[in-house]
Amino acid sequence: GGGKGVFVSYRNQGETAKIHRGTRLVRHLPYSDDVVSIMNQHYGEFWENRFVKNPEYQAQEDELVLSLPESIQWDAPILQLDPYPGMKYPEIGEEVRAVLHHSYHAGTICSESPDLGAFLTKARERHIPVFLTGAENGITYESMKILRNPAIHRLPKASPLAMYMKLWLLLSNGLDPRMNMGKCLGEDLVL
């Protein structure tokens, strides 16, 4: 792995210069310009002018090859949700073909929201998949019982940003995201 794809080189303050695989990058933290990869999965770094591959970097073989079609839909039909206390779930617009629901901590969402059940029911009735980032299988808190709802599809460990891009590319290529979001693309999934 590592021979093709998008890579980002960056040196955070007080660190060595690191090489990150584009599909492993996470969003900046507020008030920070640091660049980090999900779960410390940067590709490698430079020590004394010598590249050293990260021994913790894990990759699996890519199972998907996607491209930008000529008639790409630039306004992605994806409803993206970031949970917060007191969150009200929105109506699902007619243009929406998939939902990407982020979580915090290890898969926590606003499970106590009175409108979450109705939101999930509507998504299921309209055959709109709801994909959840940041919720590892096997880890379950009391507040995570809602994740057993069949409308919710937990994604493997991956950068939420990469999952948005993969979902957008799948929809743009006319592929079923339910069948393909769990497949590796550009070493985006962390073992």
Side-chain angles (χ1 to χ4, degrees):
K4 55 190 173 208
V6 174
F7 291 86
V8 174
S9 62
Y10 195 80
R11 184 172 129 346
N12 295 334
Q13 189 171 355
E15 295 182 5
T16 61
K18 291 186 174 140
I19 305 298
H20 303 269
R21 182 172 270 292
T23 56
R24 300 283 177 101
L25 291 175
V26 294
R27 236 191 288 187
H28 288 284
L29 292 172
Y31 309 105
S32 172
D33 62 355
D34 285 356
V35 172
V36 296
S37 290
I38 188 167
M39 305 187 82
N40 201 30
Q41 288 286 304
H42 60 279
Y43 187 71
E45 60 192 298
F46 284 92
W47 285 91
E48 298 174 3
N49 296 323
R50 195 173 116 254
F51 178 75
V52 178
K53 188 168 180 188
N54 179 2
E56 303 296 318
Y57 185 86
Q58 302 171 359
Q60 60 186 13
E61 291 293 316
D62 283 347
E63 302 166 275
L64 290 172
V65 176
L66 298 175
S67 60
L68 287 175
E70 286 183 30
S71 61
I72 191 158
Q73 186 173 351
W74 288 105
D75 54 340
I78 302 166
L79 175 59
Q80 193 169 193
L81 301 174
D82 285 303
Y84 55 88
M87 178 178 170
K88 300 255 186 245
Y89 279 82
E91 287 295 319
I92 301 173
E94 290 302 315
E95 73 285 355
V96 173
R97 293 180 33 219
V99 175
L100 189 63
H101 197 313
H102 301 294
S103 65
Y104 57 92
H105 192 246
T108 303
I109 61 174
C110 298
S111 58
E112 297 299 316
S113 175
D115 48 342
L116 175 58
F119 178 85
L120 294 174
T121 298
K122 185 162 199 164
R124 191 165 178 179
E125 287 171 355
R126 290 187 45 207
H127 305 287
I128 296 172
V130 177
F131 296 101
L132 183 65
T133 66
E136 290 185 57
N137 282 323
I139 298 176
T140 306
Y141 301 103
E142 185 69 24
S143 63
M144 294 172 67
K145 284 184 179 179
I146 189 72
L147 302 186
R148 295 184 191 132
N149 186 305
I152 297 177
H153 306 275
R154 285 190 199 192
L155 293 175
K157 287 188 271 186
S159 161
L161 180 59
M163 292 299 92
Y164 177 84
M165 294 306 298
K166 181 194 275 184
L167 183 55
W168 180 52
L169 284 170
L170 287 168
L171 293 170
S172 295
N173 280 279
L175 299 172
D176 184 351
R178 287 176 203 84
M179 303 299 293
N180 292 291
M181 285 298 286
K183 294 179 180 176
C184 193
L185 170 66
E187 297 184 15
D188 61 343
L189 306 181
V190 178
L191 300 172

